[in-house]
Amino acid sequence: MPILKNLGVADTKVPRAGTLPLRSSRNPFEEVPGLEEEEVGELGTLPNGTSCRRRATLEKLAGLAPFRLGWTPGRRAGSPGDGQPRSFLGRVLTPGIRRSSADFGLLARLQGTRAQGDEEAAGEAARRLAFLRLGRGPKPRRASLAERVVPAGEAAPEPPPKVPEPPKMKEPLSVLEILSLIQQRELARADEHILELEAEELASSGGSGAPGPPGPEGTDGGRRARDVALLYEALQRELWALVRETLAGPGPGAGAGAGAVAQLGQVLLQEEAADGRRGPGAARKLRARWAEAVGRAARERLEAAAPGAPGGLAGQLEALRARLLEDMGVVRGRLAPAYPAGLGAFGVYLRSYHGALAEWLGAAARRRLPLTDRYALLHWHNQVYPREVLGLVDLVALENGELGPLLSPGTLRGLEDECVTDVKAQTRAALLRVLQENEEHWGNREDRPSSLAQDVCELLEEHTERAPRISQEFGERMAHCCLGGLAEFLQSFQQRVERFHENPGVRELLPDTYISRTISLVNCGPPLRALAERLARVGPPESEPAREAAASALDRVTRLCHRVLADLLFQELQPYFNKLMRRKWLNSPEALDGIVGTLGAQALALRRMQDEPYQALVAELHRRALVEYVRPLLRGRLRCRSARTRSRVAGRLREDAAQLQRLFRRLESQASWLDAVVPHLAEVLQLEDTPSIQVEVGVLVRDYPDIRRKHVAALLDIRGLHNTAARQEILAVARDLELSEGGALSPPRDRAFFSDISVPRPPFCLGLPLFLGRLPLSRVARPGLACLPRLGPLSPSRPPTQR
């Protein structure tokens, strides 16, 4: 036989057919008559020490009898027993005995060196066995027990029921066979055999429940411990490789992948149960290592997605979002259902990706990022990830509820501080650059629209609109920062506008474009004012001082430009105002027609102004026009010496007031409080009885609180009222209303009217008894001299006149 030849035994001579009994029950390989002995030197000894002086048989080869099929484990006399080492082939080929990795390695080397000799010996042995079967002939049929006991002609009894055979013992697998199962991804079955092997190792080490350290290399216990360790390493390599592969996508083998994942989960459950038997000191904790492997796989997936994305950090974050959604979709739809429910696989994968993403974002935040990338990182962290990633995930499936933050509060605060600092520096430089570029065009003759306000708003709104989308607190901080920068810019803008209007050469060199340039400067106010108000509303309470500073600067610019435009307009209107309150004015409306026509023509140019400053300018023009109209009246340019003259003057005043009211309504003036001033003055001039005049003066003082008694006295002088008692009664009404209404307080600038009209100092009346002896009667009889101008204080350089 080939195995005997491989063991160094000489070829056994097969007996001839004539010397072998046909019905012998003995083993044909045992000694038979006619076999000749061979020389001792040719046969030698067997591996078990038995002499080979006679022909060798299987039963004389100690330890090789188990090669026969169906052999029941047992020992013959002289075979290795307890305390005797089993031969190599006995260990390898004996059923019920686990083959170790060392045995298989030796067997593989043995078979490799003798492969050719085995093939030759196998053919020769097959021919010899066929010859022996021919010599013995067919096996005769023996009568059964029922045929021998039951007489002929009777029915045979029923056969006894078959007794079920005891279950065959499961043959333990070798180390190489377990390794083959691992490589074939039969992970659950392989883990079961590894646990059995570990149990054998524990039993051999004393049954302490924990695998001890590997023993010496030559002992069985040390070999088993080493085999268990190597198998666990191979098993874990396959498990973690499976974790990485299943995250790559469904692919063509989605079904097979789901089955492998199910086996992975089964292995984790088996090992978790085995950890309970091993004890805390010897637990392998494969479930925790599985979570670590998922984290490593998630980190690799995210790192592979980010670097190749275009568009800087924003593009990388978008690639991370796409990869997260893709992988979590695979986990939700295919991987998590394949795991056992007790493992909480979906939560493990989600936490692993969350942790890997936190590491990536933390590394990005530690780099020196430009302002745009910091904005992108903060917005993605605060808005995109919670809404577009976690918003699509069922957080109820998590074991511990909420996930931790991606970035710590300190890191987020540091990023926000860097953004605020950079915005403050960048906007300050950018705003000053825009102002400088715009100012260079103020002195040009070319009439081009100014884009200063638009440029400033765009610079600041880029930050004030992005910051609130990140968080409300960050939006407040950014609004406060930008409002401070805007207030500082507006103060510089005010100073440059003042220098522009104070330069007399500009007005002379640019007569055509000066008004247009002034209007364009005024038009910068409304959008910048609205921006300041909006930033103040969004910002914290401490933003109020900055808002007030910005509003004050804009108010100064607006008032200055309005005054410049009004001065230019009234310089043109002044010749017409000089013609008012004269005799020609009573007979001809020429002067007022000139005023109305000029104002209407100039209003076309003023319509290019934005609504808010235009309304303020028209109201100022309305107020100033009426002030200039009333001024010559109260300064005594016209005196009424009769009731008829007072009636004519009052009628003319009412007509002019109606015409001016129609003009300013057409110009959309909102200063309707000015419409009644001239009619009230006309009523005071026309009324005859003192009580009616008192009532009208009271209404006048109530509606225009800046009127003073000197204005009322000047009006009484115009109507020719010189009765001292009546004058005192009328002036007393004005005095009482001034005191009751708090007339000492000046009205706001936009409500001031009579305060802009200066009148001569009121005259005083001399008592007749004082001058009867000093003045001629001819002079006293003249009523025009009854009132003399009030004497001023004597100058110290001029001595009093000697009588």
Side-chain angles (χ1 to χ4, degrees):
M1 296 180 66
I3 189 64
L4 301 182
K5 185 175 181 179
N6 292 337
L7 292 175
V9 183
D11 294 342
T12 304
K13 294 184 179 181
V14 181
R16 293 182 298 272
T19 62
L20 185 65
L22 293 179
R23 296 185 178 271
S24 174
S25 62
R26 298 177 58 188
N27 193 314
F29 282 85
E30 294 180 357
E31 182 180 61
V32 293
L35 294 178
E36 299 177 358
E37 295 183 359
E38 297 180 354
E39 289 84 8
V40 178
E42 296 179 358
L43 295 178
T45 59
L46 293 175
N48 58 2
T50 307
S51 175
C52 294
R53 293 179 178 274
R54 303 183 64 187
R55 294 180 178 84
T57 64
L58 287 177
E59 294 189 358
K60 289 194 176 184
L61 293 175
L64 296 184
F67 272 93
R68 292 175 295 179
L69 297 177
W71 172 80
T72 303
R75 296 188 182 91
R76 292 184 53 208
S79 63
D82 296 336
Q84 298 181 9
R86 186 177 299 274
S87 66
F88 162 68
L89 289 180
R91 288 199 313 270
V92 174
L93 300 177
T94 302
I97 303 299
R98 187 185 301 277
R99 278 79 72 191
S100 67
S101 58
D103 294 341
F104 268 86
L106 181 59
L107 181 59
R109 290 193 298 272
L110 181 63
Q111 291 178 349
T113 55
R114 300 181 178 180
Q116 184 176 2
D118 289 346
E119 294 176 0
E120 297 176 356
E124 185 177 355
R127 290 192 298 272
R128 292 181 180 178
L129 290 176
F131 173 75
L132 291 176
R133 284 195 295 269
L134 290 174
R136 294 176 61 181
K139 183 177 180 180
R141 178 180 179 278
R142 297 181 180 180
S144 64
L145 182 60
E147 293 176 351
R148 290 197 300 268
V149 174
V150 179
E154 295 184 7
E158 296 181 358
K162 294 183 179 180
V163 179
E165 298 180 357
K168 297 182 179 179
M169 296 178 60
K170 183 172 64 174
E171 183 179 357
L173 299 182
S174 68
V175 175
L176 293 181
E177 290 171 327
I178 298 174
L179 180 61
S180 177
L181 291 178
I182 295 173
Q183 294 173 350
Q184 296 172 9
R185 293 281 173 89
E186 298 186 20
L187 303 177
R189 184 182 171 196
D191 184 62
E192 293 175 357
H193 288 284
I194 295 175
L195 291 175
E196 293 177 1
L197 183 59
E198 184 181 28
E200 294 177 6
E201 191 271 332
L202 291 175
S204 64
S205 63
S208 61
E217 185 67 23
T219 63
D220 290 343
R223 186 182 300 113
R224 286 197 189 96
R226 187 193 63 182
D227 291 344
V228 170
L230 293 176
L231 288 173
Y232 267 115
E233 290 179 5
L235 177 65
Q236 292 183 57
R237 280 196 299 270
E238 288 297 324
L239 292 175
W240 313 152
L242 181 62
V243 169
R244 291 193 303 271
E245 294 170 6
T246 52
L247 278 175
V261 170
Q263 291 200 47
L264 190 155
Q266 185 64 31
V267 169
L268 296 179
L269 293 181
Q270 293 173 180
E271 288 295 328
E272 192 171 19
D275 283 344
R277 298 189 298 269
R278 294 182 183 118
R284 299 191 180 274
K285 301 178 181 179
L286 250 64
R287 185 169 179 177
R289 296 183 182 181
W290 164 63
E292 295 174 0
V294 173
R296 289 193 300 270
R299 194 178 306 113
E300 293 173 1
R301 294 279 296 170
L302 295 182
E303 290 176 354
L313 186 61
Q316 295 178 6
L317 292 172
E318 179 61 24
L320 288 178
R321 185 193 67 84
R323 178 57 57 87
L324 282 168
L325 293 178
E326 175 188 355
D327 287 2
M328 294 312 299
V330 171
V331 172
R332 181 200 298 271
R334 186 166 56 89
L335 299 184
Y339 281 99
L343 293 177
F346 183 77
V348 171
Y349 276 88
L350 181 58
R351 293 184 187 278
S352 298
Y353 271 91
H354 186 80
L357 183 61
E359 294 180 7
W360 194 95
L361 293 181
R366 288 189 292 270
R367 299 197 300 267
R368 179 60 183 172
L369 298 174
L371 179 60
T372 305
D373 287 350
R374 279 198 295 272
Y375 272 135
L377 181 58
L378 288 172
H379 180 259
W380 198 92
H381 176 275
N382 289 10
Q383 299 297 327
V384 176
Y385 182 68
R387 182 179 65 250
E388 300 185 14
V389 178
L390 295 184
L392 305 178
V393 173
D394 185 12
L395 296 181
V396 180
L398 297 178
E399 296 177 357
N400 300 328
E402 298 181 356
L403 294 168
L406 289 174
L407 295 175
S408 65
T411 302
L412 293 175
R413 183 73 177 188
L415 289 173
E416 293 177 358
D417 291 342
E418 293 175 0
C419 287
V420 171
T421 303
D422 287 356
V423 167
K424 183 180 297 184
Q426 292 182 13
T427 53
R428 178 181 301 170
L431 291 175
L432 291 178
R433 184 174 62 253
V434 168
L435 181 58
Q436 181 67 31
E437 294 175 356
N438 196 271
E439 186 183 12
E440 294 175 357
H441 298 287
W442 293 355
N444 296 340
R445 295 182 179 274
E446 182 183 359
D447 187 10
R448 51 180 296 181
S450 175
S451 61
L452 178 64
Q454 180 181 357
D455 296 340
V456 172
C457 292
E458 288 178 356
L459 282 173
L460 296 180
E461 287 174 353
E462 177 185 359
H463 307 289
T464 58
E465 291 180 358
R466 296 184 67 175
R469 291 199 294 263
I470 294 174
S471 68
Q472 181 180 358
E473 180 185 1
F474 185 48
E476 294 178 357
R477 296 181 61 195
M478 187 60 66
H480 180 63
C481 169
C482 292
L483 182 57
L486 178 61
E488 182 179 351
F489 163 78
L490 290 178
Q491 292 173 0
S492 299
F493 175 64
Q494 171 201 340
Q495 296 171 1
R496 300 189 184 216
V497 171
E498 290 174 351
R499 287 201 302 265
F500 172 73
H501 287 298
E502 290 173 357
N503 186 3
V506 175
R507 189 179 305 182
E508 296 175 359
L509 294 175
L510 306 172
D512 299 332
T513 60
Y514 184 73
I515 296 178
S516 298
R517 189 69 62 201
T518 304
I519 292 175
S520 66
L521 293 176
V522 173
N523 286 337
C524 294
L528 295 178
R529 189 185 301 273
L531 177 61
E533 295 291 340
R534 185 167 63 253
L535 295 179
R537 287 194 302 269
V538 175
E542 53 267 23
S543 301
E544 186 62 23
R547 185 201 66 80
E548 293 178 354
S552 176
L554 288 174
D555 289 341
R556 292 191 184 98
V557 170
T558 303
R559 285 196 301 266
L560 175 60
C561 293
H562 283 177
R563 188 177 72 248
V564 168
L565 293 173
D567 289 344
L568 291 175
L569 180 58
F570 280 92
Q571 285 179 6
E572 188 176 352
L573 293 174
Q574 193 60 41
Y576 300 103
F577 285 112
N578 292 335
K579 298 179 182 180
L580 297 176
M581 308 304 164
R582 300 183 185 275
R583 290 187 178 276
K584 187 176 180 180
W585 165 73
L586 283 175
N587 301 322
S588 173
E590 177 185 353
L592 191 65
D593 291 344
I595 294 173
V596 172
T598 303
L599 284 173
Q602 294 294 335
L604 296 176
L606 299 179
R607 291 299 301 175
R608 292 183 297 170
M609 197 177 294
Q610 293 194 16
D611 289 340
E612 181 181 353
Y614 174 78
Q615 294 294 338
L617 178 58
V618 169
E620 175 63 19
L621 293 178
H622 192 177
R623 187 194 71 84
R624 191 164 174 178
L626 290 178
V627 166
E628 295 297 329
Y629 182 86
V630 174
R631 188 193 305 276
L633 176 65
L634 296 182
R635 292 184 70 87
R637 186 180 294 179
L638 184 66
R639 299 281 181 171
C640 300
R641 300 183 182 273
S642 63
R644 181 174 177 274
T645 304
R646 290 196 300 269
S647 178
R648 288 183 61 192
V649 171
R652 189 65 184 171
L653 290 175
R654 292 190 186 95
E655 291 177 4
D656 291 351
Q659 190 173 357
L660 290 173
Q661 182 178 357
R662 288 192 297 270
L663 168 66
F664 285 105
R665 282 183 179 177
R666 189 170 69 250
L667 297 181
E668 301 177 3
S669 172
Q670 302 296 324
S672 59
W673 61 278
L674 293 168
D675 295 339
V677 61
V678 175
H680 282 317
L681 297 177
E683 290 296 325
V684 173
L685 291 177
Q686 189 175 9
L687 292 174
E688 295 295 337
D689 56 314
T690 301
S692 300
I693 296 175
Q694 287 178 320
V695 172
E696 197 64 35
V697 169
V699 173
L700 191 63
V701 174
R702 182 196 64 192
D703 293 343
Y704 302 95
D706 62 335
I707 193 172
R708 297 294 178 260
R709 280 175 291 175
K710 63 181 180 180
H711 298 104
V712 177
L715 189 60
L716 296 178
D717 290 341
I718 293 168
R719 77 180 307 276
L721 181 61
H722 300 292
N723 189 338
T724 306
R727 289 175 67 93
Q728 292 300 327
E729 292 178 3
I730 296 171
L731 293 176
V733 172
R735 182 182 64 250
D736 294 342
L737 290 175
E738 286 178 10
L739 296 177
S740 63
E741 296 292 338
L745 298 176
S746 299
R749 177 64 187 171
D750 57 347
R751 303 285 293 186
F753 185 84
F754 288 97
S755 59
D756 286 351
I757 301 174
S758 60
V759 296
R761 303 185 70 172
F764 68 96
C765 296
L766 298 175
L768 290 180
L770 180 64
F771 287 96
L772 283 177
R774 301 182 183 182
L775 295 176
L777 292 177
S778 59
R779 295 192 63 183
V780 174
R782 295 172 61 182
L785 296 179
C787 296
L788 300 178
R790 185 182 296 273
L791 297 177
L794 294 177
S795 174
S797 61
R798 292 183 59 188
T801 305
Q802 297 295 330
R803 295 181 185 177

